[in-house]
Amino acid sequence: MAEVKEPERIPFQLTETDLENLAGGDENFQPHDWEDLKQIIAENNLSILKRKPSDLRRYITWTNQTKAAFPSITDFVCSQRLHWQPLPISSSESGPLFECKSLVPFSDSNDYKILLNDWPYGLTEDVTHIIVWSKVRLPDQKPEGYLTVGSTALVKAFVEKTFTERLAAYGDSQARERILWFRNWTGLQSVRGLEHVHVLVRDAPEALLGEWAGSKESRP
């Protein structure tokens, strides 16, 4: 394992890929292109997804600063990015619980929010990294946290309707080939207890990104 000396406390567990990238530096970094992402997701080899070393260092700094200012990263995301107020019955064991319009994930637009990922993986410039945050939890398999067959079907249907069909409506006959999605299992999640799914879009029109995730002015 590569040894990396960091100037500050590491606020989360770094993967072997993270350590190798930090040791190699930006000059040796190869971003994930579309074919690479397709293979990683098809093989569920999500632990090798990586950020540009300088971005990872900034993310480490940001995480330390945010944890010093807020009770947790989850609290920051809820209050500052999603503007969702957890119910008083929420606990550290349960994670944030919310009043929901529906108990079926992604069935009511009030129960989810689509945002650009503030800290995307190191991707080629043609790929946009989007996060779909949900008030309703997706049933998964314990203890690893892999999605159940039913949950996978729910997410797939939502992505098809929300992203693929909208991209196709722009006249793109290859829309299905330009959308990928995944959901990290528990051990890879940086914001645990708050349901979210990753969506990757290749060559997305700016107008459509605005429709999905808001205007440029509303993004951090």
Side-chain angles (χ1 to χ4, degrees), residues 135-183:
K135 292 180 179 179
V136 187
R137 304 283 175 81
L138 288 163
D140 55 19
Q141 307 173 55
K142 307 301 183 186
E144 294 88 355
Y146 302 132
L147 290 181
T148 64
V149 172
S151 293
T152 299
L154 277 172
V155 178
K156 184 176 181 180
F158 172 79
V159 171
E160 176 77 15
K161 178 180 179 181
T162 305
F163 296 95
T164 308
E165 290 183 7
R166 287 299 298 131
L167 191 57
Y170 268 65
D172 189 340
S173 61
Q174 302 296 316
R176 188 166 281 105
E177 300 302 317
R178 289 169 54 188
I179 305 287
L180 295 170
W181 72 270
F182 65 92
R183 190 260 208 177

Side-chain angles (χ1 to χ4, degrees), residues 38-109:
K38 285 169 62 177
Q39 182 175 355
I40 289 171
I41 294 171
E43 296 174 353
N44 200 33
N45 194 16
L46 305 177
S47 63
I48 70 169
L49 287 170
K50 58 186 181 292
R51 292 181 174 91
K52 188 177 180 180
S54 56
D55 288 341
L56 178 56
R57 291 176 185 276
R58 290 193 305 111
Y59 185 43
I60 288 170
T61 298
W62 176 86
T63 301
N64 281 326
Q65 292 172 344
T66 304
K67 284 187 171 182
F70 292 84
S72 67
I73 298 298
T74 298
D75 182 80
F76 168 84
V77 173
C78 285
S79 63
Q80 303 300 308
R81 296 296 284 121
L82 299 174
H83 307 291
W84 291 348
Q85 180 61 51
L87 294 170
I89 60 173
S90 302
S91 67
S92 57
E93 290 75 23
S94 69
L97 301 173
F98 304 97
E99 182 178 349
C100 302
K101 298 291 185 180
S102 172
L103 296 180
V104 179
F106 309 120
S107 62
D108 191 299
S109 60

Side-chain angles (χ1 to χ4, degrees), residues 18 20-31 50-58 122:
D18 290 332
E20 291 175 356
N21 278 326
L22 287 172
D26 283 4
E27 62 274 15
N28 296 307
F29 179 76
Q30 293 294 323
K50 58 186 181 292
R51 292 181 174 91
K52 188 177 180 180
S54 56
D55 288 341
L56 178 56
R57 291 176 185 276
R58 290 193 305 111

Side-chain angles (χ1 to χ4, degrees), residues 24 32 38 58 102 113 117 121 140 180-181 190 194 201:
H32 297 291
K38 285 169 62 177
R58 290 193 305 111
S102 172
K113 184 169 288 190
N117 190 352
Y121 293 111
D140 55 19
L180 295 170
W181 72 270
S190 58
L194 187 56
V201 187

